[in-house]
Amino acid sequence: MTKIKLATVWLGGCSGCHMSFLDLDEWLIDLAAQVDIVYSPIADIKEYPEGVDVVLVEGAIANEEHLELIHKIRKRTKTIISFGDCAVTGNITALRNLAGGAEPALQLAYVQEADINQQIPHSPGIVPPLLDRVVPVHKVVDVDIYLPGCPPSASRIKAAIEPLLRGEKPAMDGRNMIKFG
């Protein structure tokens, strides 16, 4: 049996979706028998590989690194799942948009509201260059499946992944599968 190549990605979000993924508990053992985890923040793999079958993308597109990675993901992946409300709508991460752009957001966070060292970090690698607006994944690349929730429950994650293991598209309907928050 050929194992499905599964990836998970954490962009602009809180990692709550990945925590919920880990709440799959014993089913993770069953999942591990059917997939190869080829990229994930829970596995220290540096480069997003070619030929990924399914990826769960947590978080919104908030900086240039996210933008570059999501384009690479789309080129190298058959099925992209927007994983959680930040990936689906921008959610909390997109609240940064209310500041009016990247520069005003940085001023607010690092200067106006800072208690000490009131300056925007300028050393390379400290803060990736921010996009002017935070956007959900589908505003940048085509998304195949939307899995809302903040975070989606473990049972909802399982219900989305399990059909894919059988080569079927999950039924993303009904309150249990499409509820936000």
Side-chain angles (χ1 to χ4, degrees):
M1 173 175 113
T2 304
K3 288 186 171 187
I4 289 175
K5 292 180 181 176
L6 176 69
T8 71
V9 174
W10 176 19
L11 302 177
C14 70
S15 84
C17 296
H18 276 83
M19 294 288 96
S20 200
F21 179 81
L22 294 175
D23 284 342
L24 288 165
D25 298 330
E26 297 86 21
W27 192 72
L28 287 172
I29 297 167
D30 296 335
L31 181 63
Q34 300 174 69
V35 302
D36 283 327
I37 303 283
V38 295
Y39 187 88
S40 178
I42 54 179
D44 190 25
I45 302 165
K46 303 296 184 208
E47 179 65 25
Y48 193 86
E50 300 275 350
V52 176
D53 294 305
V54 177
V55 63
L56 297 165
V57 178
E58 173 182 354
I61 311 300
N63 64 45
E64 289 180 12
E65 289 177 5
H66 298 157
L67 192 58
E68 182 181 324
L69 180 57
I70 200 65
H71 283 293
K72 186 180 290 186
I73 289 167
R74 182 69 278 176
K75 287 178 190 165
R76 297 179 178 184
T77 307
K78 291 178 190 167
T79 302
I80 292 180
I81 300 175
S82 273
F83 183 32
D85 289 351
C86 289
V88 174
T89 68
N91 203 27
I92 299 297
T93 310
L95 286 175
R96 188 187 87 202
N97 295 342
L98 298 174
E103 190 60 33
L106 290 168
Q107 283 290 330
L108 182 64
Y110 288 104
V111 177
Q112 294 171 356
E113 298 299 324
D115 292 334
I116 58 171
N117 298 328
Q118 295 175 319
Q119 63 180 348
I120 297 172
H122 292 290
S123 297
I126 300 288
V127 177
L130 299 180
L131 299 177
D132 240 11
R133 295 193 50 78
V134 175
V135 295
V137 175
H138 71 274
K139 293 289 186 179
V140 178
V141 297
D142 290 336
V143 168
D144 303 295
I145 298 169
Y146 295 87
L147 182 57
C150 186
S153 67
S155 60
R156 190 184 301 182
I157 296 167
K158 181 179 177 183
I161 294 174
E162 214 166 24
L164 294 170
L165 300 175
R166 298 187 301 267
E168 302 167 4
K169 188 166 183 178
M172 302 305 288
D173 53 21
R175 180 170 169 76
N176 285 342
M177 290 304 288
I178 61 171
K179 179 179 168 277
F180 288 83

